[in-house]
């Protein structure tokens, strides 16, 4: 049954830009310092100081714009967004309003129906982050930490094109992957370097006008985005079906209770008294600048996925997972070109045993204890029948433990597969001689007993007999079941 309600979602994603210093001052942006040790006079909002724009932030915004097929404005303007809050000592946030640096971009996601779907990116603008209020450990007072004040952010605003929590997550993941590919944000969500506000409304299916939306602030995990949106959809549907009305407001998601709560009624743009910041010149960039930035763009995830499918014959879905992290894609590719075993086999191992080992030890791919070359060495030995798939798991563990190359491990541990037919036959003869009852049962029709015999031969050979040969020789010697 199709729902009588259509869900409409637009995301405002804040990506902290990975500059060394702040957007308008020379203070460090490093995370985790003692409170207020990385806030200079500009970040503290002292009178008489002047902001100086960090060109690196501009370059990063430009990179992003080009990656989502957007227009990079040749002229954009910083504006003051005025509001009072204790963690904002100047009384205004420097942002961009009427003339943002990036406009009219787009991104493809996999829509609810499984087809590719275009999501419009309205704009992306540069702004500074505020400080942090700390409510614990100060009794009835609050502490203020201004280390984060002035940290560069890129706010990426989508069109209201998303139709479910799943699509929203898909879109957000893609943006997350892109900023990390570009190296313009570390994307660390626990540290708040990548977070989003979700705007959610519903309307009767088929209706073209937008419903009244609420905005859920500051979601810093994919799971919370999904849960908060789904809660909010249910809340709005119930409210309207009970004869009520959605109020335009800002809400907070409480992950402990899995619900959203009203925080304040939604402010309008004119509450902020935006005006161009007289302390900063407009950002003016020319075509040469934009082309120079374009030349530095890496291969992006979608293009890489297409190439992995076309050049390596990978399954679409596997290629999609591999390109999700640039370092994983690079690892795969390094191993794939180094082995003759076939790229899909490499993908299976990277997504299977290698991922499992990394997870188990809490490592990411850069911390892998097996290099791409060593994994390739292992796969080559499976491919040329030196070892069986089962023994390969044992070699993999030894590789992980740093015991040498696959060849060294196979030699040292004597794991080479037995493919000498005479040697296998000798073992088969012994097993047959030692189990007359089972032989009689097998020959009178209990053909499932073949598994028993295979097991005995494998046991006797320490798992090293070639399984295909064992089967064939057993069937030949036992006669028909
Ligand atoms: P504001 O300036 O108040 O934040 P914007 O018009 O810039 O509002 O929109 C912010 C975000 O809200 C955008 O991502 C936009 O797509 C989304 N949005 C706007 N209207 C709706 C709506 N009715 N339902 C869902 N999302 C919406
Ligand atoms: Mg907003």
């Amino acid at each position: 049954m199709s729902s009588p309600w259509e869900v409409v979602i637009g995301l405002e994603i804040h990506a902290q830009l990975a500059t060394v210093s702040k957007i308008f001052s020379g203070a460090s942006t490093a995370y985790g310092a003692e409170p207020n040790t990385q806030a200079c006079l500009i970040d503290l909002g002292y009178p008489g100081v002047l902001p100086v724009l960090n060109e690196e932030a501009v370059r990063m915004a430009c990179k992003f714009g080009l990656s989502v097929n957007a227009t990079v404005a040749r002229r954009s303007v910083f504006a003051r967004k005025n509001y009072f809050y204790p963690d904002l000592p100047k009384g205004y946030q420097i942002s961009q309003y009427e003339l943002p640096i990036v406009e009219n971009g787009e991104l493809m996601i996999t829509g609810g129906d499984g087809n590719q779907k275009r999501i419009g990116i309205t704009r992306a603008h540069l702004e500074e982050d505020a400080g942090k209020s700390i409510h614990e450990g100060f009794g009835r007072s609050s502490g203020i930490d201004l280390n984060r004040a002035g940290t560069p952010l890129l706010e990426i605003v989508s069109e209201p094109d998303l139709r479910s929590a799943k699509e929203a997550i898909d879109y957000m993941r893609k943006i997350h992957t892109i900023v990390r590919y570009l190296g313009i944000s570390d994307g660390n969500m626990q540290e708040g370097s990548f977070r989003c506000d979700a705007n959610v409304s519903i309307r009767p299916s088929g209706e073209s006008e937008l419903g009244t939306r609420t905005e859920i602030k500051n979601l810093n995990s994919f799971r919370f985005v999904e849960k908060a949106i789904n809660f909010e959809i249910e809340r709005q549907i119930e409210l309207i079906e009970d004869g009520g009305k959605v109020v335009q407001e800002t809400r907070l998601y409480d992950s402990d209770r899995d619900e959203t709560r009203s925080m304040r009624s939604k402010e309008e743009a004119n509450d902020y008294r935006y005006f161009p910041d007289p302390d900063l010149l407009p950002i003016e960039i020319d075509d040469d600048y934009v082309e120079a930035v374009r030349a530095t763009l890496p291969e992006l995830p979608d293009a890489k996925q297409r190439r992995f499918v076309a050049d390596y014959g990978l399954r679409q879905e596997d290629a999609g997972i591999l390109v999700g992290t640039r370092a994983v894609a690079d690892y795969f590719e390094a191993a794939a070109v180094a082995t003759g075993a076939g790229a899909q086999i490499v993908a299976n191992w990277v997504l299977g045993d290698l991922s499992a080992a990394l997870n188990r030890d809490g490592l990411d791919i850069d911390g892998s204890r097996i290099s791409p070359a060593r994994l390739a060495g292992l796969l080559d030995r499976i491919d040329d029948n030196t070892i069986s798939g089962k023994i390969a798991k044992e070699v993999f563990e030894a590789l992980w433990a740093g015991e040498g190359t696959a060849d060294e491990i196979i030699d040292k541990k004597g794991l080479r597969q037995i493919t000498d037919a005479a040697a296998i036959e000798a073992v088969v003869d012994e097993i047959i001689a030692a189990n007359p009852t089972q032989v009689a049962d097998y020959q009178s029709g209990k053909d499932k007993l073949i598994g028993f015999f295979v097991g005995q031969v494998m046991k006797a050979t320490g798992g090293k007999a070639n399984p295909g040969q064992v089967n064939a020789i057993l069937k030949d010697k036992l006669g028909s079941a």
Side-chain angles (χ1 to χ4, degrees):
M1 197 189 77
S2 70
S3 164
W5 298 104
E6 184 181 41
V7 173
V8 176
I9 301 163
L11 296 187
E12 296 163 277
I13 294 176
H14 289 91
Q16 183 177 314
L17 295 176
T19 55
V20 176
S21 60
K22 293 184 177 175
I23 184 167
F24 301 120
S25 84
S28 166
T29 54
Y31 179 83
E34 283 294 299
N36 298 310
T37 54
Q38 289 176 175
C40 70
L41 298 184
I42 291 174
D43 310 318
L44 295 171
Y46 268 49
V49 298
L50 284 174
V52 177
L53 177 60
N54 182 342
E55 196 206 328
E56 208 44 39
V58 174
R59 193 190 314 279
M60 288 176 169
C62 182
K63 264 188 168 178
F64 177 78
L66 295 174
S67 305
V68 293
N69 208 11
T71 307
V72 176
R74 298 304 189 261
R75 183 172 182 278
S76 64
V77 170
F78 284 107
R80 291 186 181 179
K81 180 178 181 180
N82 298 278
Y83 66 95
F84 174 79
Y85 206 73
D87 62 22
L88 188 72
K90 294 196 301 298
Y92 60 86
Q93 176 193 25
I94 304 176
S95 181
Q96 295 190 305
Y97 184 54
E98 283 167 326
L99 296 172
I101 185 159
V102 169
E103 278 184 294
N104 293 323
E106 63 184 357
L107 197 70
M108 300 305 285
I109 65 163
T110 306
D113 57 5
N115 292 325
Q116 290 291 294
K117 170 173 174 179
R118 177 190 182 277
I119 305 300
I121 295 174
T122 319
R123 56 188 276 154
H125 61 256
L126 285 166
E127 62 184 25
E128 58 176 346
D129 208 344
K132 268 184 201 163
S133 297
I134 300 165
H135 302 294
E136 271 150 42
F138 293 92
R140 293 171 53 110
S141 308
S142 287
I144 307 285
D145 176 8
L146 291 171
N147 282 352
R148 202 179 62 182
T151 300
L153 298 177
L154 188 66
E155 176 171 338
I156 304 158
V157 183
S158 84
E159 289 290 302
D161 288 344
L162 302 156
R163 291 291 172 270
S164 67
K166 195 201 144 288
E167 287 190 4
I169 299 294
D170 234 46
Y171 165 81
M172 191 172 170
R173 274 193 204 285
K174 275 219 145 162
I175 297 277
H176 190 240
T177 306
I178 289 173
V179 298
R180 285 178 309 142
Y181 262 65
L182 297 174
I184 64 172
S185 174
D186 65 19
N188 188 320
M189 298 179 81
Q190 280 97 45
E191 294 176 4
S193 306
F194 193 84
R195 52 195 199 257
C196 94
D197 304 338
N199 295 268
V200 180
S201 67
I202 58 167
R203 62 184 171 190
S205 294
E207 169 70 58
S208 60
E209 244 174 77
L210 291 174
T212 304
R213 70 175 144 140
T214 59
E215 179 175 6
I216 315 163
K217 278 278 179 203
N218 258 327
L219 297 161
N220 68 346
S221 86
F222 293 114
R223 204 163 55 88
F224 291 167
V225 172
E226 179 164 21
K227 289 184 141 204
I229 289 174
N230 281 330
F231 175 87
E232 189 56 21
I233 293 169
E234 285 309 309
R235 188 188 71 84
Q236 292 186 12
I237 291 176
E238 260 176 50
L239 188 65
I240 294 177
E241 289 186 346
D242 286 349
K245 264 194 172 147
V246 174
V247 204
Q248 182 159 330
E249 64 184 356
T250 301
R251 298 178 71 87
L252 272 188
Y253 176 67
D254 178 340
S255 55
D256 294 333
R257 299 193 188 191
D258 188 24
E259 62 179 31
T260 65
R261 275 202 303 277
S262 179
M263 184 164 108
R264 56 171 190 251
S265 69
K266 169 87 185 150
E267 52 292 288
E268 300 292 334
N270 57 16
D271 293 332
Y272 289 121
R273 296 174 293 120
Y274 278 103
F275 62 87
D277 192 316
D279 288 346
L280 285 156
L281 290 167
I283 305 173
E284 290 190 341
I285 53 187
D286 57 20
D287 294 353
D288 288 349
Y289 182 91
V290 174
E291 290 318 308
V293 171
R294 196 192 302 277
T296 68
L297 290 181
E299 181 183 37
L300 289 166
D302 281 356
K304 206 184 268 295
Q305 183 180 8
R306 280 194 296 275
R307 186 168 62 81
F308 280 6
V309 172
D311 291 6
Y312 293 111
L314 289 192
R315 284 192 290 266
Q316 184 81 19
E317 211 188 315
D318 292 340
I321 302 172
L322 289 171
V323 304
T325 308
R326 193 172 165 182
V328 173
D330 289 347
Y331 185 105
F332 157 78
E333 205 163 11
V337 298
T339 175
Q344 184 63 51
I345 304 284
V346 177
N348 296 347
W349 278 80
V350 171
L351 298 175
D353 294 72
L354 186 73
S355 292
L358 291 169
N359 276 339
R360 185 185 64 202
D361 288 6
L363 298 170
D364 60 23
I365 191 81
D366 298 320
S368 172
R369 304 209 193 285
I370 303 179
S371 67
R374 286 200 167 174
L375 181 67
L378 169 63
L379 304 188
D380 280 341
R381 293 297 82 83
I382 307 172
D383 192 51
D384 67 10
N385 271 324
T386 305
I387 54 172
S388 67
K390 197 158 171 228
I391 292 290
K393 306 263 178 195
E394 191 182 333
V395 177
F396 180 88
E397 287 309 324
L399 282 171
W400 189 260
E403 293 174 29
T405 65
D407 285 332
E408 288 164 0
I409 292 163
I410 291 165
D411 280 344
K412 200 163 53 191
K413 299 192 183 235
L415 296 174
R416 206 166 285 281
Q417 183 159 238
I418 304 168
T419 50
D420 172 1
I424 298 174
E425 276 180 37
V427 179
V428 167
D429 288 340
E430 274 172 41
I431 299 293
I432 287 176
N435 297 282
T437 328
Q438 281 84 351
V439 172
D441 285 353
Y442 176 84
Q443 282 166 349
S444 67
K446 281 199 178 174
D447 54 353
K448 287 215 176 74
L449 275 171
I450 191 74
F452 163 81
F453 290 107
V454 171
Q456 292 296 307
V457 175
M458 293 314 263
K459 199 169 155 197
T461 58
K464 287 184 289 180
N466 177 289
Q469 283 175 288
V470 171
N471 256 292
I473 293 172
L474 270 169
K475 284 194 175 143
D476 183 48
K477 299 234 172 206
L478 287 167
S480 56

